[in-house]
Every structure is written in C-alpha cells, then in structure tokens.
Amino acid sequence: MVPADSLVDDDALILASLIDEIPNQIDLVVTERTFKQLAAREIVKGKHFYEAAFSMHPVRSRWLPFLVPRAQLAERVLETSVALALGRVSPDLLKPRERHNGWLGFLGEAEVIRRLAESPRLDLFRPFPDLEMVEVLARDNLARRLAGLQVKAATVQHLNGEAQIHIRTATLTKDPSTWVVGLAWRNETNAFDEECLLIPAAEVPTVAIDTGPTMEINFHPGTHRTTLLDPYRRRLADLSRLVLDCTQAPFAGT
C-alpha cells in the first residue's frame, strides 16, 4: 500500500519488492502515473492509499507488463544494458574525489547532535534537504520552544592555530532563534577542541569577514588574546545546556 499523498511525480519510478529473496523473484517497476491508473484505491482511517497485489509467477495480471525478474532489474531501470550504460559514463565521474570537507562537516553535525542528546529535555530534528540555514533543530520538550543551529567545523591550522569557518552569506538570517555552532578539529588529537563557538546568526556579520559569497570567521581556540569572538567562546562539554538556554531566546518559535 502506498499513501496517495506520497505520489507527487508522475514520471518517477516505483520499485516494489519482497524483503526476503525467493527463487525466481520478480519485482514491480512502474511509473507513478501508471501505478495510479492500475492500482486499487483504499481509504484507511480517512487516509487514501493505492494498493497493488501480484504473485511471483503470474499468468494473468494487470501488472504483468511491469513485472521484471530480479536479474533484469538494472536493465529495466536503466532502459539499456549495464555494459552500455557504463560505457556512457564519463570517466571523470568515477574518479575518486577529495572528501575531507564533506567528512568533517558530517562529523561536526554528528558531534553536536551527540552532545545535545545528553539533555533529555531536547528533542532533535534534521531538516531535509539540507539546504537552509538550520541544519539541526532543537526543541525544549517542556517549554516547547525552539533553537535552530547551523553547524560549522574547520581544521585548526598548524601555522597560526586558527580554524577558518565559512558560512554562506545567502543563508544568513536575523531570526533570534537561530545560532551558529563553530567547532575546531585538531588533527594531532583526532578530536574536536574542547572550546567551541556559539554565535547568534544575526551577529555573525559583526565578527566575520565578508568575502562576498561567504562570511569567514577566524577561530583561534584556546588563545589568550582578546578577540571579537570572546563573548561567543564556550566549552563544548556545556553545549546541551547552552542550547537549552538558546531555546528561551526572545521570539523563539513555539
């Protein structure tokens, strides 16, 4: 059964398969448009569903033209043989690519989520797709107030001890319930520094260098020099408590 409101692209393919493999298994490969034309409709607790049923060895079935042996599944989806499809792929597409920034960004978000999960009062949500300012949404489940976080991680450079954090200018917001968490990764310890940044998004332009496409924050964790970032330096170990306080910011969402 497929919820009717989940079918939003008539040209998208639906692949229906059994979880457990069986001998001579066949799968259903059909566009959403055709699926809606052929499937039975059901209403369960006021919600509309489409339903399809077929056997593994059909002789007569409305789904027969769309049933594909498992061994031929790739050819049906690609609409050509696997060998021909691979021949059309640009060799550059298959070359290994540098992924340090993506890896570190994911690691930073995972670290923040782990820290926030230490507080039973915080419910955590991950917006999808990850295109907006807020990457982690924290909700105080008692006060029912929100704090949106953008997590940025950068590697501390050996020469100057700074981690350069870049924030896309186009995503910046003045919403007082949105914050930037800055983490500094230390290669020598294979861990994040015990100091982090927690900056209201609206105040990022006051402490960052405007490069046009991005705002650049030069974070020097552990420095004893006075910098514009001093009001935003925090202990990473305190992050869950600090974000809980952030949910109480004026005009925070409910």
Side-chain angles (χ1 to χ4, degrees), residues 157-202:
Q157 303 300 316
H158 290 294
L159 292 179
N160 55 19
E162 285 186 344
Q164 291 188 344
I165 295 172
H166 297 271
I167 303 168
R168 288 180 57 210
T169 305
T171 65
L172 281 177
T173 176
K174 295 182 179 180
D175 188 331
S177 64
T178 304
W179 305 71
V180 174
V181 178
L183 303 180
W185 176 259
R186 292 193 177 275
N187 285 327
E188 64 272 21
T189 60
N190 201 38
F192 287 107
D193 192 272
E194 62 184 17
E195 185 177 81
C196 68
L197 297 175
L198 185 60
I199 309 173

Side-chain angles (χ1 to χ4, degrees), residues 32-209:
E32 288 188 8
R33 179 185 293 104
T34 302
F35 184 79
K36 289 187 288 187
Q37 292 171 350
L38 298 180
R41 298 202 63 167
E42 299 281 347
I43 299 177
V44 180
K45 295 182 179 180
K47 189 170 184 178
H48 292 264
F49 291 85
Y50 287 97
E51 183 177 30
F54 55 90
S55 72
M56 287 294 101
H57 306 287
V59 177
R60 298 176 59 187
S61 170
R62 70 179 71 181
W63 301 108
L64 195 58
F66 312 102
L67 297 176
V68 183
R70 172 61 61 85
Q72 300 173 21
L73 186 59
E75 284 82 354
R76 174 62 69 88
V77 172
L78 295 171
E79 297 183 339
T80 186
S81 70
V82 174
L84 285 176
L86 287 174
R88 296 172 183 171
V89 175
S90 169
D92 291 337
L93 187 64
L94 302 179
K95 288 182 179 178
R97 293 189 296 175
E98 191 280 325
R99 57 184 296 271
H100 180 269
N101 290 341
W103 165 80
L104 186 58
F106 174 81
L107 189 63
E109 290 183 25
E111 177 71 10
V112 167
I113 289 172
R114 185 187 71 80
R115 297 278 183 172
L116 299 186
E118 295 173 357
S119 172
R121 280 187 57 175
L122 289 175
D123 295 333
L124 305 177
F125 304 90
R126 292 290 306 278
F128 182 83
D130 185 6
L131 299 175
E132 304 298 332
M133 177 73 182
V134 173
E135 296 170 328
V136 178
L137 186 64
R139 186 186 72 156
D140 180 347
N141 53 41
L142 294 183
R144 298 184 180 276
R145 295 172 68 85
L146 305 173
L149 307 174
Q150 180 165 117
V151 181
K152 291 297 179 183
T155 302
V156 177
Q157 303 300 316
H158 290 294
L159 292 179
N160 55 19
E162 285 186 344
Q164 291 188 344
I165 295 172
H166 297 271
I167 303 168
R168 288 180 57 210
T169 305
T171 65
L172 281 177
T173 176
K174 295 182 179 180
D175 188 331
S177 64
T178 304
W179 305 71
V180 174
V181 178
L183 303 180
W185 176 259
R186 292 193 177 275
N187 285 327
E188 64 272 21
T189 60
N190 201 38
F192 287 107
D193 192 272
E194 62 184 17
E195 185 177 81
C196 68
L197 297 175
L198 185 60
I199 309 173
E203 297 178 24
V204 167
T206 67
V207 296
I209 300 171

